[in-house]
Amino acid sequence: MSDSFPENFNDVDKEIYSYLKLDSPSSFLLFAGAGSGKTRTLVNVLEHFKRNDLKRIIDAGSKVAVITFTNAACDEIKHRLQYDPAFEVSTIHSFAWSLIKPFSEDIREFLRNQLQKQIELLEDKIHKARDKNGKTAISNSRSRDSKQKRLEQLDDITEFSYSSSSGRPERDALNHAEIISMAAAFIADSPLMQRLLISRFPILLIDESQDTNKDLLNAFISAQQSNKELFVLGLFGDMMQRIYGGGKDDLDTDLPDDWKKPAKLINYRSPKRVVSLINDIRFEIDDMQQAPHDNAIEGVVRLFIVDSDQRNKHLLEASIRQSMADITEDELWKEPEKIKCLVLEHAMAAERGVFSEFF
């Protein structure tokens, strides 16, 4: 097949595509800062791979795996790839479940060991509690009894289940955290599981890798290091864009020496002053500095610094909107429903949605 690239390919796209060559694979971490077109690069590379190299993957009975963080991102990538079944596009939990689902006995033993440890820990807390009838002691007792009941029912389960869209209480159902911890342990501890992973998915690309569970990510990296000639692990992300805890904090500094580290340093989304602000914020964190797109406008950034102990957040925000209305001569700033507001936590959302008491 020809390696002539489409017009929308840039140098980083070409570089990443070269890493997916199964005769000379290279694993990589792509630094992709805010507005750099990370998803566009991911899809561009996969579309070109589909045209030129996918037959070899199909003939081997394998697939290309793409892990994304949200169902919306999954749907977008699947659509761009025309729902080709040779690409396994899924969230991290669904992907992990697809790996461990056939191993019911291993799942049972993992749960048995985990539950026994958790019960022993709770027993110790209950024993040490000063107030045996206190709220914490009662909660720990209930949790212990629930886990004990689950432990006793394990041998009656013939097949375990998991649903990414519900927290079902059925005794055979696994929760999100269990799926991830099991997959990480199975891959890290079992060469057989590593071989199964690699034979099914010789190419594994992980979007938003900065938010991927550190134990699972370390397990993938370990599998890659043991099978360098057979497996490509590609990570896309930016440590400054972490949203959730539990990720690999040293992702950008603790990778194997033979990994490639391409970077997308142009911010196509933001005005020049926003890019400058981003660079100033991260200046003392790392040496990654973005550049604005040639056609970017100058833009305006206004930063309001307030007392974090401010009691009436609504009045504070209203005063800021009033200031912005005066500065910009734009009366729409005074109408809350016309403003885009980034809400960073559930409690904030509950307060602004007027259901904080219920929350």
Side-chain angles (χ1 to χ4, degrees), residues 69 92-93 176-177 180-181 184 206 208-221 239 241-251:
F69 218 79
I92 188 69
H93 294 89
H176 302 324
I180 296 298
S181 58
I206 303 178
E208 308 294 3
S209 57
Q210 73 276 0
D211 283 322
T212 303
N213 177 272
K214 63 182 177 182
D215 295 328
L216 185 54
L217 205 51
N218 282 332
F220 286 142
I221 293 170
M239 293 304 290
Q241 296 187 64
R242 283 175 293 178
I243 298 175
Y244 301 99
K248 184 173 169 59
D249 293 337
D250 56 356
L251 177 61

Side-chain angles (χ1 to χ4, degrees), residues 194-205:
Q194 292 186 9
R195 290 197 295 274
L196 289 172
L197 164 67
I198 292 162
S199 64
R200 285 181 63 189
F201 306 107
I203 297 174
L204 170 57
L205 307 178

Side-chain angles (χ1 to χ4, degrees), residues 6 58 66 150-151 175-176 215 224 235 272 309-310 317 351 357:
I58 296 172
V66 182
R150 190 182 184 197
L151 179 62
N175 64 43
H176 302 324
D215 295 328
Q224 183 274 330
L235 309 180
K272 294 176 182 178
D309 292 329
Q310 175 76 29
E317 291 174 7
E351 184 179 350
E357 189 173 322

Side-chain angles (χ1 to χ4, degrees), residues 99-135:
L99 294 178
I100 69 173
K101 182 179 180 180
F103 302 98
S104 294
E105 288 308 311
D106 297 274
I107 292 173
R108 194 187 323 279
E109 287 310 304
F110 183 93
L111 286 175
R112 195 189 311 279
N113 292 332
Q114 288 295 102
L115 287 168
Q116 287 171 343
K117 290 177 183 177
Q118 292 166 358
I119 290 168
E120 290 173 7
L121 181 61
L122 288 167
E123 289 277 15
D124 186 55
K125 289 181 178 179
I126 294 166
H127 177 72
K128 292 179 178 178
R130 293 182 180 180
D131 183 0
K132 304 298 182 182
N133 295 315
K135 184 177 179 180

Side-chain angles (χ1 to χ4, degrees), residues 120-176:
E120 290 173 7
L121 181 61
L122 288 167
E123 289 277 15
D124 186 55
K125 289 181 178 179
I126 294 166
H127 177 72
K128 292 179 178 178
R130 293 182 180 180
D131 183 0
K132 304 298 182 182
N133 295 315
K135 184 177 179 180
T136 300
I138 292 173
S139 176
N140 285 336
S141 295
R142 287 174 177 168
S143 180
R144 176 204 58 194
D145 294 345
S146 175
K147 294 180 187 303
Q148 184 64 47
K149 181 179 180 181
R150 190 182 184 197
L151 179 62
E152 293 168 356
Q153 294 176 336
L154 275 181
D155 289 330
D156 297 331
I157 299 173
T158 56
E159 186 176 86
F160 293 90
S161 65
Y162 166 73
S163 172
S164 61
S165 59
S166 68
R168 296 185 303 164
E170 288 91 336
R171 63 180 185 174
D172 64 354
L174 304 175
N175 64 43
H176 302 324

